[in-house]
Amino acid sequence: MPNSVSLSSPLTFPCGKTMKNRFMLAPMTNKQSHEDGTLSDDEYHWLTMRAKGQFGLVMTCASNVQFNGKCWSGQLGIYDDKHLEGHQRLATGIQAYGSLAVVQLHHGGMRCPAELIGAEPVAPSDSPEEGARELSLHEVEQLRNDFIAAARRAQQAGYDGVEVHGAHGYILTQFLSPEHNRRQDHYGGDLDNRARLLFEIVRGIRAACGKGFLLGVRLSPERFGMEPAEIKTLSQQLIDSGAIDFLDLSLWDVFKPSGLSDQSLLAYFADLDRRSVRLTAAGKIHGAREARQTLEAGMDFVAIGKSAILHHDFPAQVLRNPDFRPVSTPVSKAHLEREGLGPAFIDYMERWEGFVEG
């Protein structure tokens, strides 16, 4: 479904919320918050600086909905009311620049380090190779309830909405994967059963937070036991449910061949019968040209990761200069400091090969 919409055009979601342009800050791990999950000044600065740089929608990093869903040191939490004060501050700070403020809701499942959570990580099924144990039926239901409670907490904090993280091999992906989900109850088996938890969470959030709350889901169609055709089926089911406002597709590379037809992976998903649901994609959208191509291929808005780290004002730069390209990597630590990254985030970026000068 190609379109010729400008990157500067406003976009209204089914819930009624409007983003002022077509740029979303992708949710990115930055390891900057406090160990109890409360917001740090560094994380606040990093995110509000992107709002100041004219991202129409600013999304937080993955924020864990249960303590045992924590995947990395310095992860922002949303599993307890002690996190509310920081989230209220963050939502207000992002919205002060006219951006929509959205929290990504997350649980790492088997990817949570035991030493970080002080217990065995949990998974849909026992996974000895990952040192993870199977969730009981009661625990699955509690996980569902805690995703919903986290969304209510986000709404209470003043956020415009939430995104449910169903991508990148975390717990909801593990439920979706026939490789990792070998349950014999109604949360395992065919796709409908493997997707049951995701749908219960999405419908529960919509019921708890109302029609005016922005609600999205992130999916990735590759790796971690995912198959593009099955994820496309799931995407259409989510759209048809009428419960979501947007679908966020993490594609690693939006322009790569789908392997299922002569289409790119981006075009393969762009021809979903989306009704009024909005689509965005992330994956190697580096500069102005790729951002335009992503819209032209049928996405409604673009999710920017790496280039948003390099330039807090990437949207403003692109809207001023249709040929804008981000600075080449590696970059200096001083550059990243100027762009609002704190010491913990810079240390994390040093692990990305060729990103930070040695």
Side-chain angles (χ1 to χ4, degrees):
M1 193 184 295
N3 67 53
S4 56
V5 175
S6 166
L7 288 161
S8 63
S9 301
L11 178 68
T12 300
F13 294 93
C15 68
K17 302 278 187 182
T18 299
M19 59 189 288
K20 62 185 177 183
N21 58 35
R22 302 304 174 104
F23 296 93
M24 173 182 116
L25 176 69
M28 283 183 278
T29 302
N30 60 79
K31 299 192 171 186
Q32 294 185 117
S33 275
H34 300 301
E35 285 309 312
D36 65 353
T38 55
L39 180 75
S40 70
D41 288 343
D42 282 349
E43 186 141 19
Y44 175 86
H45 180 57
W46 144 254
L47 288 166
T48 56
M49 197 168 173
R50 270 67 205 162
K52 185 178 181 180
Q54 298 305 301
F55 279 91
L57 189 157
V58 171
M59 193 173 293
T60 70
C61 69
S63 298
N64 50 311
V65 303
Q66 291 181 334
F67 173 78
N68 73 345
K70 184 176 180 178
C71 254
W72 53 84
S73 182
Q75 184 171 0
L76 182 65
I78 195 164
Y79 58 86
D80 192 280
D81 285 349
K82 70 184 177 185
H83 301 128
L84 263 174
E85 183 179 354
H87 281 293
Q88 288 167 340
R89 178 187 176 212
L90 182 55
T92 300
I94 291 169
Q95 291 162 344
Y97 295 101
S99 300
L100 296 179
V102 176
V103 184
Q104 189 185 57
L105 305 181
H106 167 262
H107 190 296
M110 67 173 66
R111 299 189 65 186
C112 298
E115 61 273 17
L116 199 61
I117 62 174
E120 282 181 294
V122 295
S125 304
D126 287 329
S127 180
E129 62 275 18
E130 299 291 344
R133 67 168 180 83
E134 180 173 306
L135 288 161
S136 69
L137 180 58
H138 171 74
E139 288 174 319
V140 175
E141 292 167 347
Q142 188 62 53
L143 177 62
R144 173 198 66 205
N145 294 343
D146 286 344
F147 265 97
I148 297 165
R152 285 285 296 118
R153 199 169 281 119
Q155 187 176 45
Q156 187 179 347
Y159 285 101
D160 294 289
V162 295
E163 175 177 271
V164 176
H165 198 340
H168 299 172
Y170 298 119
I171 204 160
L172 296 180
T173 316
Q174 293 159 28
F175 269 89
L176 292 172
S177 168
E179 176 184 331
H180 297 298
N181 182 352
R182 300 178 300 280
R183 298 181 70 91
Q184 299 300 307
D185 60 17
H186 57 287
Y187 288 103
D190 61 16
L191 178 60
D192 286 346
N193 279 356
R194 285 182 276 120
R196 185 182 302 277
L197 177 59
L198 174 59
F199 277 94
E200 287 182 350
I201 289 167
V202 166
R203 290 186 174 119
I205 291 172
R206 180 57 74 210
C209 296
K211 293 181 179 179
F213 194 61
L214 184 63
L215 176 54
V217 173
R218 176 167 254 209
L219 297 174
S220 48
E222 303 173 287
R223 308 181 191 180
F224 308 109
M226 299 293 95
E227 295 292 338
E230 197 166 75
I231 294 301
K232 188 172 184 180
T233 297
L234 175 61
S235 297
Q236 191 64 60
Q237 290 173 341
L238 280 165
I239 291 167
D240 293 346
S241 76
I244 66 168
D245 296 292
F246 70 93
L247 195 59
D248 176 6
L249 300 163
S250 187
L251 303 181
W252 307 103
D253 179 352
V254 297
F255 304 112
K256 69 174 288 187
S258 67
L260 298 168
S261 66
D262 58 358
Q263 298 173 298
S264 69
L265 198 55
L266 186 65
Y268 179 69
F269 281 92
D271 68 6
L272 286 162
D273 179 11
R274 69 190 70 181
R275 305 187 183 189
S276 59
V277 171
R278 307 304 190 176
L279 298 186
T280 187
K284 297 190 177 179
I285 305 171
H286 294 315
R289 179 175 58 86
E290 294 93 339
R292 285 195 303 273
Q293 288 175 333
T294 302
L295 286 194
E296 288 165 2
M299 293 295 108
D300 295 297
F301 57 117
V302 295
I304 307 297
K306 178 180 175 182
S307 293
I309 296 173
L310 296 170
H311 299 281
H312 77 279
D313 58 348
F314 178 82
Q317 296 265 24
V318 169
L319 294 177
R320 281 197 301 268
N321 175 9
D323 298 314
F324 179 74
R325 303 293 302 168
V327 64
S328 297
T329 53
V331 295
S332 67
K333 292 182 182 179
H335 174 88
L336 295 177
E337 288 171 358
R338 288 193 298 272
E339 291 301 322
L341 281 71
F345 199 178
I346 292 173
D347 178 67
Y348 177 56
M349 296 313 302
E350 287 188 282
R351 302 178 206 176
W352 287 27
E353 186 176 353
F355 198 84
V356 183
E357 290 176 355

